[in-house]
Amino acid sequence: MDAVHGRRRRPLRDCVTGRFEDVAPVRTFRWSRGERHFPDWYWAATTGRHVGFESWLERDRLLLMDLDPSVVGIGSQPFWLHWHDGERERRHAPDYFVRRADGSAVVVDVRADERIEPKDAEAFEVTRLLCAQAGWRFERVGTPDAVLLANVRWLSRYQHPRCLHAPPADRLREVFASPGPLMAGADAAGDRLSTLPVLFHLLWLQEMTAEDMTAELLGPHAKPSLHRVSLGTPTPRHGGALSLPTSAVEPAVRSQ
């Protein structure tokens, strides 16, 4: 037990049931003039809490995870993984720990393909091996599709439950029971100033879906065909109501 930092170091096998989606980050997010990275906090509709990120790319991937209906928990910088590479002790803090609705866990590292150095590739491979031992999945993700990301950024403006108003939502569900154009459907459901925010919120919840989110940008002039994909009233997603040999690895997890 580290009395100063309130952290403890344990073998990986003792940590597999830990709720790392709920722990505080093990690294402090620092803001310094002239630094290339951009740390900040993002409010996640999935959890109703802020989740940290250290770069624009991490923020973008966080948006996509927040949109994923199978994701029910997200924690950033959840733990340190410690191992020995045969010459010295190494450690790595993965970017995210994700809990899915089926109870499974995914450890995520975010790094653009062109920015992976040999030491990064080594750390990612060790992380993959350790996650396999723990029964967790590991993903190293890079730059997402530009059109999809632009659409998710747009929808994230309407992610908050305050955008969901029952009367226009019910009318939109009726209108889009059959596929139709975005703006025409919004107008058919009422005044677009009141229906569009609700419609974009339903798209965020994925109760409505666009024809192809990777092919055309959403917005006032978009012409994608939308349709309803579920019959129930959406429930708010927060408040309860997305190479080293194994012989060289000596894993341990350090967390809050």
Side-chain angles (χ1 to χ4, degrees):
M1 172 70 71
D2 186 333
V4 176
H5 297 95
R7 298 173 182 166
R8 50 187 171 171
R9 189 168 173 175
R10 295 185 295 169
L12 180 63
R13 64 178 177 273
D14 296 340
C15 304
V16 296
T17 60
R19 293 189 57 83
F20 292 105
E21 66 270 32
D22 296 329
V23 301
V26 294
R27 289 198 311 200
T28 302
F29 296 136
R30 294 184 174 88
W31 292 259
S32 301
R33 185 186 297 273
E35 298 247 352
R36 293 180 60 186
H37 65 290
F38 186 86
D40 208 340
W41 295 89
Y42 165 81
W43 185 85
T46 297
T47 62
R49 299 197 302 262
H50 285 86
V51 182
F53 60 86
E54 292 187 303
S55 69
W56 291 121
L57 182 55
E58 286 186 24
R59 190 277 314 272
D60 293 342
R61 281 295 175 178
L62 188 51
L63 279 169
L64 292 171
M65 289 187 285
D66 197 22
L67 179 70
D68 187 343
S70 73
V71 172
V72 296
I74 310 171
S76 60
Q77 308 285 338
F79 48 70
W80 286 109
L81 283 172
H82 296 259
W83 74 95
H84 200 282
D85 67 4
E87 296 181 357
R88 61 190 178 92
E89 184 169 327
R90 300 277 304 279
R91 70 175 187 172
H92 172 62
D95 293 317
Y96 296 109
F97 186 94
V98 174
R99 182 72 64 184
R100 296 197 176 276
D102 62 4
S104 64
V106 185
V107 174
V108 179
D109 268 312
V110 181
R111 188 67 58 87
D113 294 352
E114 66 275 11
R115 294 194 61 235
I116 298 178
E117 303 291 339
K119 62 181 180 62
D120 300 321
E122 182 179 292
F124 296 155
E125 177 61 12
V126 170
T127 303
R128 182 188 67 79
L129 292 171
L130 298 184
C131 287
Q133 293 179 24
W136 301 333
R137 211 169 98 216
F138 172 73
E139 293 181 357
R140 196 283 303 173
V141 295
T143 305
D145 176 83
V147 176
L148 173 63
L149 179 59
N151 282 328
V152 174
R153 284 175 177 169
W154 177 276
L155 294 179
S156 70
R157 303 175 187 180
Y158 306 93
Q159 64 173 171
H160 199 280
R162 63 172 172 261
C163 294
L164 183 61
H165 301 286
D170 290 340
R171 292 195 296 271
L172 286 164
R173 292 184 186 109
E174 293 175 4
V175 168
F176 287 106
S178 299
L182 185 151
M183 291 304 299
D187 289 338
D191 179 3
R192 68 173 60 173
L193 290 178
S194 63
T195 59
L196 276 176
V198 179
L199 177 56
F200 290 136
H201 183 70
L202 294 176
L203 280 163
W204 174 267
L205 293 177
Q206 298 185 56
E207 183 179 344
M208 303 287 180
T209 186
E211 204 166 55
D212 190 347
M213 293 272 283
T214 65
E216 185 176 2
L217 293 174
L218 295 173
H221 305 293
K223 299 179 181 179
S225 176
L226 271 61
H227 63 91
R228 184 179 173 189
V229 294
S230 69
L231 298 177
T233 301
T235 300
R237 293 178 60 191
H238 69 280
L242 194 4
S243 80
L244 292 180
T246 55
S247 59
V249 175
E250 298 178 3
V253 176
R254 188 179 186 182
S255 179
Q256 294 282 20

